[in-house]
Amino acid sequence: MFKKILITNRGEIAIRVMRACKELGIQTVAVYSDADKNSQHTQLADEAIHIGAPAAKNSYLNADVVIQAALASQADAIHPGYGFLSENASFALAVASANLTFIGPSADSIRAMGDKAESKIAMKRAGVPTVPGAEGLESESDFKKAAKEIGYPVLVKAAAGGGGKGMRVVNQADELHEAIESARREALNAFGDDRLLVEKYIPNAHHIEFQVFGDQHGHIVHLFERECSTQRRYQKIIEETPSPLLTPELRAKMGEAAVNAARAVNYYNAGTVEFIFDPALSSFFFLEMNTRLQVEHPVTELTTGLDLVQWQIRVAAGERFPYSQEQLTQRGHAIECRVYAEDPANGFLPSTGKLLQYIESRGPGIRVDSGFRADDEVTHFYDPLLAKLIAFGESRETAIQKMQSALRDFVVHGVTTNIDFLQDVLAHPDFSAGEVSTKWVESQPRWSQPNPSFESLIAASLADQAIVNRQSSIENRKSEIVNEPDPYSPWKNPNGFRN
Ligand code: ADP
Ligand code: ADP
Ligand code: MG
């Protein structure tokens, strides 16, 4: 087993990975940019190494500097988390060349699934159903011909895409020109690659994905599905498992397709096979495979009882994954809400600023994965995800009730959040019925912030006083630390050090 792991990520994901390392008795090394000098992930690690300026390209995306940091700290493995360098085949190779272990799949698997056009071709070969479409198109007339054959509406998509970028729905031929131009521009900007593919746009679709997991001895299973249809701008906001739409037969069929997809690229470690599901026809199509741990992994953990990050580390160290497909079961229902610092009434634009007050919900069946505390700053440099709130219940109804109660308890002052918006979605009859499709959020009447309630006005007027009080208690604590006479006293150390 590894002795020390460097985590090349920040915020809640770095903290999540560190927890698994600590449980396994492994030392942790954090990396941080100037903007994260005082952040929680930096303080919770056993060591922390500064890697550059706030902009991700000057720090968290700088592969050379990250590998140097791992060598300097004598780590034996690197966990990439998700985002940043997690789906970068050259990074995985560079890590291996430096005699370090990359905690994830092989560089070959990452490469094979990294391109939406090539992966679709590989999946067709492996007998996995894919969305009808065409790849490798060059001229506009090729696109026009292909779109006509497929039948409108179609979706123009960046081959190198991710995070919902470079995608345009095209309803009729005369919209195609503009869609291709703007998708190309966006793709070139975001990925440095402007290749596009076109596929059938499936209306009222659901996004249903399967967690897959494999070891390096050829054993691969799926850990059931996640329904991720509540989205804005093609990005997930609420995820749950099991999906309210799947019958046991469909689940078995889709699970088998997911395992076949993974097997076709000799996959090991954690991965997700995403499908688009057409409820009208009860048919499903491969969308893409994400060759990493996913934001929404906690709902799978709560219903299967497995710790996915611990298992990622264990199989990367060469251990066998001990459970057969038949031994794996799911119990109860879990929902995750992504609590974002963003303004649903203003196109879900990120909201930045200092967290004047921040209190996470607690309670039986509630899990919070986060990287923020009160007084932290939400900056424009990174994703504005504040926390992931996860509720577990014996049934879908109880999980929803617990989530609603936990959202009521979650206190965030200083930035605008999507908490009220999440409450509205959960309370909507379409959500209770499991009928929310990927376009549902955008098809709702424009969402606007409610007028401030009586309670919130009282809270606002009390906030100033509360901040003054808390500031003075922090000052007291600081003077206690300074005045502690014994220099070796553990109480003199205000950070996350553990013996
Ligand atoms: P998921 O299906 O897991 O939500 P996304 O593609 O939306 O996958 O990416 C997950 C998260 O990873 C994003 O919310 C973002 O924080 C981060 N991320 C994605 N792409 C990048 C990137 N190119 N650079 C940095 N972070 C990224
Ligand atoms: P990304 O890499 O950005 O996650 P995906 O191909 O996984 O891209 O698609 C993201 C989202 O876009 C899906 O969850 C779904 O909402 C929508 N989408 C993608 N392809 C289709 C399609 N053919 N028909 C309808 N919606 C689609
Ligand atoms: Mg996707």
Side-chain angles (χ1 to χ4, degrees):
M1 184 44 78
F2 309 115
K3 291 206 163 54
K4 198 189 261 189
I5 294 177
L6 179 138
I7 299 141
T8 170
N9 218 293
R10 60 180 301 285
E12 61 91 13
I13 184 62
I15 292 169
R16 168 72 191 91
V17 175
M18 269 175 221
R19 291 226 160 89
C21 293
K22 290 187 181 187
E23 288 154 10
L24 292 169
I26 300 168
Q27 297 276 305
T28 55
V29 185
V31 292
Y32 66 94
S33 72
D34 293 331
D36 285 334
K37 199 168 166 213
N38 299 313
S39 74
Q40 210 180 359
H41 89 267
T42 305
Q43 295 181 352
L44 286 176
D46 295 303
E47 291 167 53
I49 300 182
H50 175 250
I51 52 162
K57 70 173 180 353
N58 300 322
S59 49
Y60 296 104
L61 286 170
N62 194 336
D64 292 339
V65 173
V66 166
I67 291 172
Q68 281 313 314
L71 293 172
S73 59
Q74 296 184 310
D76 25 31
I78 295 186
H79 195 302
Y82 54 73
F84 299 127
L85 296 165
S86 63
E87 288 181 286
N88 185 321
S90 346
F91 177 66
L93 273 184
V95 170
S97 314
N99 277 324
L100 299 163
T101 304
F102 178 78
I103 300 178
S106 72
D108 284 343
S109 305
I110 298 176
R111 192 169 294 120
M113 287 297 189
D115 184 292
K116 287 192 207 289
E118 277 165 37
S119 66
K120 262 182 98 172
I121 296 167
M123 290 305 104
K124 280 185 224 172
R125 228 183 288 129
V128 178
T130 58
V131 190
E135 303 85 31
L137 304 172
E138 292 285 341
S139 72
E140 202 175 308
S141 67
D142 288 347
F143 274 98
K144 217 161 230 165
K145 222 173 99 201
K148 197 170 166 205
E149 260 164 47
I150 299 162
Y152 289 93
V154 297
L155 190 63
V156 170
K157 224 186 226 189
K165 291 208 187 80
M167 248 188 288
R168 297 287 182 279
V169 182
V170 185
N171 292 302
Q172 53 199 47
D174 61 6
E175 293 169 15
L176 199 58
H177 175 75
E178 170 56 28
I180 293 173
E181 293 280 299
S182 69
R184 269 204 209 287
R185 257 196 318 270
E186 192 171 308
L188 192 62
N189 222 344
F191 318 111
D193 178 344
D194 69 352
R195 286 170 308 126
L196 300 177
L197 56 98
V198 59
E199 63 187 29
K200 177 94 195 139
Y201 178 75
I202 302 183
N204 299 314
H206 282 238
H207 175 117
I208 300 179
E209 61 186 31
F210 274 72
Q211 176 72 53
V212 295
F213 202 91
D215 63 23
Q216 298 186 59
H217 308 277
H219 178 45
I220 180 140
V221 293
H222 72 79
L223 302 174
F224 310 97
E225 79 279 9
R226 291 184 289 255
E227 160 87 50
C228 315
S229 299
T230 312
Q231 305 183 346
R232 45 114 180 83
R233 271 189 259 113
Y234 305 112
Q235 280 198 299
K236 303 156 186 168
I237 327 175
I238 301 178
E239 299 104 340
E240 63 181 301
T241 187
S243 161
L245 290 189
L246 289 196
T247 59
E249 293 72 34
L250 255 171
R251 180 171 296 117
K253 225 168 121 185
M254 290 176 78
E256 195 187 324
V259 169
N260 287 342
R263 199 170 272 137
V265 296
N266 301 316
Y267 202 83
Y268 53 76
N269 217 289
T272 297
V273 179
E274 296 189 334
F275 294 108
I276 194 99
F277 180 77
D278 185 344
L281 304 171
S282 257
S283 42
F284 62 92
F285 308 97
F286 172 87
L287 266 186
E288 65 162 345
M289 180 168 186
N290 292 325
T291 52
R292 54 171 162 87
L293 186 71
Q294 205 119 329
V295 180
E296 54 273 26
H297 74 278
V299 295
T300 301
E301 295 191 318
L302 292 182
T303 50
T304 59
L306 295 168
D307 186 309
L308 289 183
V309 183
Q310 275 204 17
W311 276 114
Q312 282 197 293
I313 296 169
R314 293 173 69 165
V315 302
E319 275 188 43
R320 284 175 189 277
F321 186 71
Y323 306 109
S324 68
Q325 190 68 64
E326 294 67 40
Q327 285 171 320
L328 293 162
T329 53
Q330 239 183 337
R331 191 177 149 265
H333 197 98
I335 303 187
E336 172 180 286
C337 282
R338 299 192 189 189
V339 177
Y340 277 107
E342 66 180 21
D343 185 2
N346 185 17
F348 296 94
L349 281 183
S351 162
T352 56
K354 196 185 180 77
L355 297 178
L356 299 175
Q357 184 57 288
Y358 178 84
I359 305 170
E360 294 176 347
S361 328
R362 299 185 197 200
I366 297 300
R367 164 174 165 181
V368 183
D369 281 18
S370 72
F372 282 97
R373 292 159 303 187
D375 290 337
D376 284 349
E377 193 88 29
V378 183
T379 72
H380 65 274
F381 293 111
Y382 313 112
D383 197 73
L385 179 71
L386 288 178
K388 303 186 311 199
L389 186 55
I390 307 116
F392 176 79
E394 69 205 57
S395 65
R396 187 165 190 262
E397 290 67 35
T398 50
I400 293 175
Q401 278 168 359
K402 276 177 187 283
M403 180 61 85
Q404 288 172 319
S405 163
L407 283 168
R408 275 195 293 275
D409 290 346
F410 211 113
V411 179
V412 184
H413 294 175
V415 294
T416 307
T417 74
N418 65 344
I419 291 177
D420 290 342
F421 169 78
L422 290 165
Q423 288 284 33
D424 279 9
V425 176
L426 291 174
H428 199 285
D430 289 353
F431 189 85
S432 322
E435 281 167 5
V436 165
S437 78
T438 55
K439 271 279 168 268
W440 186 87
V441 169
E442 279 146 55
S443 68
Q444 290 301 299
R446 195 183 146 85
W447 201 83
S448 56
Q449 286 288 9
N451 288 326
S453 65
F454 189 48
E455 289 86 344
S456 66
L457 290 174
I458 294 174
S461 50
L462 291 172
D464 271 353
Q465 192 53 43
I467 289 164
V468 170
N469 290 345
R470 200 155 42 76
Q471 210 56 47
S472 71
S473 87
I474 290 171
E475 290 309 321
N476 286 344
R477 172 75 185 110
K478 277 189 189 149
S479 69
E480 273 169 34
I481 292 169
V482 172
N483 296 333
E484 166 67 54
D486 175 4
Y488 300 105
S489 162
W491 311 116
K492 200 156 172 79
N493 185 345
N495 65 24
F497 168 79
R498 76 210 149 93
N499 192 336

